[in-house]
Amino acid sequence: MNSPGPVSTENHQSRKRFVTGLYALGRDLDSGDPHRVAKARRVLARVRRSLNDPHYLPDVLGLVLPHSPSREEKEVWIFIAALFSLNPRSASNGWRKPLGVALRDCGTDTSSEARLRQLLTSDWNTLQNRLRQAVRLLQQKKVSLDYGRLLDDLVELHQAPAGSARAHRVHLRWAEHFQTGWADPQE
C-alpha cells in the first residue's frame, strides 16, 4: 500500500460529500415521505445485498463513484457504504459516535470490550467481517455511528502496514474513545 501524507483538501471534501450523501439516505428513511422512504429502503437493501452478491455491486458503485474516490481508497468507500446500509440510523441527539464510543454505549458488559479487542488485533480481511458484526450490534442497540470518522480511520488502516505507527494511532484512538466514552471533535 502507499504511504500517503496528510489528506488533500480535495480528497477530504470528496470523503465529506460521500458521507453526507449516505446520511441523506438515512434521513430519507425517517422523512415520512413514502416515496423518499421507499427509494432509500431500496437503495440500502441493494447495498446490503452487495456484501454477499456481486450482482448488486453496481448499486454500491452508484453511491461511491459520483464522489470521485481515489483509486487507493475506493475499496474502503465501498465497504463504508455497505456498513452504512447495515445501520443507517440517524443521530437523534445530533451526535454520531466514533467507533470506540459507540461500542462503549452498547453496554458495559465484557462483550463490548471483547469486540473492541478483536477489532484492534484484526488484519484487513478479518477487520471487515468483525466490523460488520459490530455495526449490526450498534443497529440492534440503536446507536448511531460517525461514518466520516470511520472512513478516515479505515482508509488509514487499509493503507498502513500492519503493526505500523499509523495503524497503532487509529487503534489507540478507538481504545481511548472506548475507555473514556468521549471523543474530541477536533480529532
Side-chain angles (χ1 to χ4, degrees):
M1 298 286 147
N2 295 340
S3 180
V7 178
S8 72
T9 302
E10 179 182 329
N11 206 9
H12 178 74
Q13 290 301 320
S14 293
R15 287 182 191 175
K16 190 173 181 171
R17 283 190 304 270
F18 168 62
V19 172
T20 299
L22 293 178
Y23 290 153
L25 279 172
R27 282 190 307 277
D28 285 350
L29 286 175
D30 298 332
S31 71
D33 178 339
H35 297 291
R36 287 174 53 195
V37 170
K39 182 180 178 189
R41 281 187 181 162
R42 185 174 54 254
V43 169
L44 292 169
R46 288 173 162 273
V47 172
R48 248 187 330 277
R49 288 184 193 117
S50 75
L51 288 165
N52 299 314
D53 186 349
H55 175 78
Y56 294 99
L57 284 175
D59 297 286
V60 180
L61 292 175
L63 289 177
V64 170
L65 294 181
H67 302 287
S68 305
S70 69
R71 188 186 57 193
E72 297 83 17
E73 294 185 9
K74 191 182 308 178
E75 179 183 346
V76 179
W77 288 37
I78 290 168
F79 182 56
I80 286 290
L83 290 177
F84 181 81
S85 73
L86 297 172
N87 182 16
R89 178 156 310 285
S90 295
S92 58
N93 63 359
W95 188 50
R96 294 177 179 91
K97 299 171 183 178
L99 182 63
V101 176
L103 285 173
R104 179 187 176 100
D105 287 357
C106 282
T108 56
D109 61 4
T110 56
S111 66
S112 292
E113 184 175 344
R115 190 173 301 276
L116 175 72
R117 289 179 188 275
Q118 290 176 335
L119 293 171
L120 298 176
T121 59
S122 299
D123 63 24
W124 178 250
N125 291 328
T126 306
L127 179 67
Q128 290 180 77
N129 185 48
R130 289 180 174 163
L131 270 173
R132 281 192 293 268
Q133 294 169 1
V135 169
R136 284 187 180 109
L137 174 65
L138 296 176
Q139 207 297 339
Q140 291 170 353
K141 300 287 185 172
K142 300 181 180 186
V143 177
S144 59
L145 184 60
D146 184 337
Y147 289 96
R149 280 192 186 197
L150 187 60
L151 175 59
D152 292 342
D153 289 347
L154 292 183
V155 165
E156 192 71 17
L157 288 175
H158 188 253
Q159 294 177 353
S164 70
R166 289 172 55 200
H168 180 71
R169 281 190 297 274
V170 172
H171 293 150
L172 184 62
R173 187 170 46 252
W174 288 358
E176 184 176 357
H177 291 170
F178 182 85
Q179 287 298 318
T180 64
W182 184 80
D184 182 353
Q186 299 303 313
E187 288 179 337

